Amino acid sequence: MLGTMQDRPLALPHIFERAERFFPHKGIITADATGARSRRSYGEWAERTRRLATALDGLGISADGRVGTFCWNTAAHLELYFAAPCSGRVLHTLNIRLYPEQLTYIVNHAEDEVIFIERSLLGLIGPLLESFESVRHLVVIDDGAPTPLPEGYDFIDYEELIAGSEPATFTIEDENQAASMCYTSGTTGNPKGVIYTHRSTYLHTMAAMLADSVGTCERDVILPVVPMFHANAWGLAHAAVAAGADLVMPGPQMTPPALADMIVEERVTLAAGVPTIWMGVLPELEGRDTSALRVIPCGGSAVPKALSEAYREQIGLPILQAWGMTETSPVASVARLTSAMEDLSEEQQADLRAAQGMAVFGVELRIADQLTGESLPWDGETRGELQAAGPWVTGDYYNDDRAPDSFTEDGWLRTGDVAVITPEGFVRIVDRTKDVVKSGGEWISSVELENEIMAHPQVAEAAVIGVPHPKWSERPLACVVPVEGAELTKDDVLEFLDGRVAKWWLPDDVVFIDEVPKTSVGKFSKKDLRDRFGGHVLPTAE
Ligand code: ADP
């Protein structure tokens, strides 16, 4: 061998120590349940995190025990984000919006030994406490809410726990040990557990700091609206600490007016959330000073072109679309236009921004025939199942026998998304495999139809599902939410679509609804719509 580089483990203490050593005066602003905001410097945060790690020893949490959190995006949650993994344990963020039976399932499946709960969330989790089989301690974090403590349990006070412990030192020797875990939101069946290792988190953090991906840096003031309890707040919590960026944590203050106030008053430079959040926030920003904003990463579901363009027109900044999954840590592709694309027309550029973009450095993506597994060409037209591989893409689910179907023989993740890839390598998701409308032998993309309908100025939201049809097996039904006060008819919608989509894609019917039901993470819940309209009789079926 000619020589080797040092193989020091890629582990979370390095990320933690960057903020502690280099940026002790930068820090985290958190909004509490009363709406008040308070600041904690990284210096204070680091000291408290080290004490918290010792406290986990004091509670007798196993060396690799699972530490559950039931928290908003807050400074305390960020302490747990590092205290658990840096002391060898596994942080298990519980998605507060899962159905009760799913929460019970994941706490028991992960065998959480302790759960840290923010006080404003006690009402949600209280009734479930008796169903948790492995939990030995409950710690309550005061976030200003007056919620009473459920009777019959001994709650430990978070502040007392920290105050009563000495600071720990952190050493992780095996970079492949688990650092944290997150369960998918389980749109079908029970949620599946994904384990993130120290190494995968470290590398994903570096990827989030690349200029051509999300590009987080020291000068940023980052508002992660995307929750820390689902898919790692898209890596922003780790990346902010690594870079020394300031964080603005919204806590329970998740309404559009509260978020808009934070963006303006804290001079946020980077704010990340799902499309439904940005739909609500835009009107609240009207006429206000948003000059500090430089990037609005958005993903979790397709970003409608109309939404991105509305941001470009109102505040001069289009949305930066990113694609990923719980299984991909989650950042896997980002729709940052390349220099060559700058010569395209405004319209073409807007179209590209509405795509899911290019695989970020470190991740490999391909499309394949769902049945034969054959790899498909990148011609911008051929549709196939999107598959992913890379050092922060999972190769397995935690203790789950449903796992084999989710991976190819050569170990790539089958994402369940249907996509085309352009010759330049831009991915465009056309649907999820289970949401495409199978009309005759052909597929109609529900996402593309929705986007076209949502471009109608009188439409607030639209979702398309396939409903049974005697001749075509399935045909599209458009479920449309008109903007307040609009008088919209089925013919208005169909006329608008005429010429925008192929004739045979036109929905067979349009129903008007008050709201598109959302999943636990704010995505359109096609499952709920299918439950409600699956039996809808299409006029064309008679
Ligand atoms: P789940 O909702 O299954 O728990 P995730 O939150 O991990 O899962 O969601 C991953 C899925 O979300 C992707 O497979 C894809 O269908 C969808 N998704 C994420 N980002 C985008 C995006 N930018 N455009 C379209 N779909 C997206």
Side-chain angles (χ1 to χ4, degrees):
M1 203 186 285
L2 282 176
T4 62
M5 286 291 166
Q6 297 181 9
D7 58 353
R8 292 168 67 78
L10 309 182
L12 265 68
H14 181 71
I15 298 179
F16 171 84
E17 284 161 11
R18 297 280 305 177
E20 182 181 51
R21 278 206 203 112
F22 297 120
F23 312 108
H25 303 300
K26 310 266 321 257
I28 314 138
I29 288 170
T30 305
D32 72 12
T34 69
R37 286 177 225 151
S38 58
R39 187 172 187 280
R40 189 167 294 164
S41 71
Y42 280 132
E44 295 165 89
W45 164 84
E47 157 96 12
R48 289 166 56 90
T49 302
R50 288 188 182 278
R51 289 180 186 276
L52 178 58
T54 304
L56 294 174
D57 299 340
L59 292 176
I61 307 302
S62 321
D64 64 350
R66 263 69 75 201
V67 175
T69 60
F70 203 70
C71 301
W72 302 103
N73 289 8
T74 59
H77 206 176
L78 195 68
E79 289 162 358
L80 288 153
Y81 247 59
F82 285 85
C86 291
S87 67
R89 278 102 183 180
V90 183
L91 172 87
H92 176 198
T93 52
L94 299 167
N95 181 343
I96 64 168
R97 303 203 186 102
L98 288 182
Y99 294 114
E101 57 277 14
Q102 293 181 324
L103 273 170
T104 298
Y105 171 82
I106 69 173
V107 169
N108 292 338
H109 189 259
E111 298 173 279
D112 293 343
E113 296 180 23
V114 54
I115 306 185
F116 289 77
I117 307 166
E118 265 160 1
R119 189 145 185 166
S120 60
L121 293 169
L122 271 173
L124 267 182
I125 202 171
L128 306 179
L129 294 177
E130 62 177 15
S131 68
F132 298 158
E133 292 159 9
S134 48
V135 176
R136 289 183 280 117
H137 302 286
L138 297 167
V139 182
V140 65
I141 304 170
D142 185 1
D143 64 358
T147 322
L149 300 182
E151 307 251 325
Y153 299 94
D154 286 331
F155 284 94
I156 300 166
D157 178 73
Y158 184 68
E159 291 304 320
E160 283 175 22
L161 191 66
I162 289 182
S165 308
E166 291 301 313
T169 50
F170 294 150
T171 324
I172 295 294
E173 271 158 23
D174 178 5
E175 64 182 19
N176 288 311
Q177 83 183 50
S180 61
M181 67 192 302
C182 181
Y183 282 73
T184 62
S185 51
T187 36
T188 48
N190 273 324
K192 290 184 268 191
V194 176
I195 303 270
Y196 307 113
T197 63
H198 280 265
R199 176 189 158 85
S200 75
T201 311
Y202 185 109
L203 292 171
H204 181 257
T205 303
M206 285 181 76
M209 294 163 72
L210 297 174
D212 282 331
S213 72
V214 182
T216 50
C217 64
E218 187 270 334
R219 284 165 192 243
D220 273 323
V221 178
I222 301 178
L223 172 73
V225 183
V226 42
M228 292 167 77
F229 58 70
H230 188 64
N232 286 315
W234 298 348
L236 291 171
H238 294 112
V241 170
D246 283 315
L247 275 164
V248 179
M249 299 290 212
Q253 304 299 331
M254 294 289 282
T255 61
L259 293 171
D261 285 351
M262 282 176 234
I263 289 173
V264 173
E265 291 162 15
E266 306 297 346
R267 298 203 54 78
V268 166
T269 63
L270 186 160
V274 296
T276 40
I277 291 283
W278 297 129
M279 285 180 197
V281 168
L282 186 63
E284 304 293 334
L285 291 175
E286 182 140 27
R288 303 179 72 182
D289 178 6
T290 53
S291 57
L293 267 179
R294 65 170 194 89
V295 56
I296 308 175
C298 182
S301 53
V303 177
K305 184 169 141 192
L307 177 68
S308 185
E309 285 298 278
Y311 269 79
R312 190 172 68 82
E313 278 155 29
Q314 186 179 314
I315 65 171
L317 189 66
I319 278 172
L320 178 66
Q321 172 149 211
W323 171 87
M325 311 170 68
T326 305
E327 289 85 338
T328 63
S329 292
V331 180
S333 77
V334 176
R336 222 178 246 288
L337 301 200
T338 62
S339 52
M341 293 168 181
E342 272 167 21
D343 297 333
L344 299 173
S345 69
E346 281 295 353
E347 187 66 20
Q348 287 168 316
Q349 293 190 28
D351 273 338
L352 283 165
R353 284 192 293 261
Q356 284 65 26
M358 201 182 278
V360 297
F361 176 86
V363 171
E364 289 178 78
L365 297 175
R366 68 184 183 194
I367 43 174
D369 185 287
Q370 228 193 318
L371 296 177
T372 64
E374 181 201 349
S375 198
L376 296 172
W378 293 17
D379 57 11
E381 283 172 16
T382 310
R383 291 157 185 235
E385 182 185 55
L386 186 65
Q387 301 181 343
W392 55 88
V393 176
T394 193
D396 200 2
Y397 289 103
Y398 178 65
N399 277 349
D400 205 311
D401 54 18
R402 292 168 293 174
D405 291 347
S406 308
F407 302 92
T408 63
E409 270 173 20
D410 56 349
W412 287 53
L413 170 74
R414 303 181 58 177
T415 66
D417 286 333
V418 184
V420 301
I421 306 184
T422 65
E424 300 79 34
F426 249 56
V427 173
R428 186 183 294 276
I429 306 267
V430 294
D431 223 328
R432 293 190 100 161
T433 45
K434 50 184 183 296
D435 291 340
V436 281
V437 182
K438 292 161 190 103
S439 171
E442 303 285 341
W443 283 2
I444 297 174
S445 157
S446 65
V447 172
E448 281 172 53
L449 262 181
E450 283 158 13
N451 279 340
E452 292 302 339
I453 302 172
M454 283 192 276
H456 191 298
Q458 306 271 43
V459 172
E461 284 180 340
V464 171
I465 54 168
V467 295
H469 189 283
K471 180 165 174 204
W472 301 109
S473 112
E474 264 183 10
R475 287 294 301 159
L477 169 72
C479 308
V480 174
V481 184
V483 296
E484 231 177 272
E487 284 181 22
L488 198 63
T489 65
K490 171 179 165 182
D491 287 341
D492 294 337
V493 174
L494 295 181
E495 267 163 40
F496 182 75
L497 287 177
D498 196 13
R500 291 179 158 248
V501 299
K503 273 243 174 317
W504 64 277
W505 277 38
L506 287 177
D508 287 34
D509 206 357
V510 178
V511 290
F512 292 97
I513 53 178
D514 293 340
E515 190 186 358
V516 176
K518 309 285 184 325
T519 68
S520 58
V521 288
K523 304 182 193 191
F524 288 179
S525 174
K526 301 277 176 82
K527 183 175 169 287
D528 286 330
L529 281 176
R530 278 192 284 265
D531 287 349
R532 182 166 161 202
F533 292 110
H536 183 82
V537 181
L538 296 168
T540 51
E542 283 157 1

